[in-house]
């Protein structure tokens, strides 16, 4: 079962990725937003909005940046 639900996107979530050390999770939605989450707490750290189109690809650098 899930330990927490990451709620906040208003559109369908297209992609979810975790950072190399699993401290952060990034998600992108059809509503053109990307959210960065604290994995352990399930809280949103920041929201980025793309001006024109849905974000369909996300990645963390190997050094967790």
């Amino acid at each position: 079962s899930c330990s927490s639900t990451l709620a906040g996107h208003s559109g369908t979530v297209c992609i979810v990725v975790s950072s190399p050390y699993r401290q952060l999770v990034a998600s992108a939605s059809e509503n053109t937003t990307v959210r960065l989450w604290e994995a352990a707490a399930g809280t949103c750290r920041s929201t980025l909005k793309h001006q024109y189109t849905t974000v369909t690809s996300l990645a963390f650098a190997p050094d967790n940046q």
Side-chain angles (χ1 to χ4, degrees), residues 21-42:
Y21 303 111
R22 302 200 193 316
Q23 296 171 330
L24 301 172
V25 174
S27 58
S29 171
E30 285 182 344
N31 70 350
T32 70
T33 60
V34 174
R35 290 181 178 255
L36 187 62
W37 308 86
E38 298 283 344

Side-chain angles (χ1 to χ4, degrees), residues 28-57:
S29 171
E30 285 182 344
N31 70 350
T32 70
T33 60
V34 174
R35 290 181 178 255
L36 187 62
W37 308 86
E38 298 283 344
T43 56
C44 184
R45 178 189 272 193
S46 62
T47 301
L48 307 169
K49 179 141 177 80
H50 191 279
Q51 188 172 0
Y52 300 109
T53 188
T54 301
V55 176
T56 57
S57 180

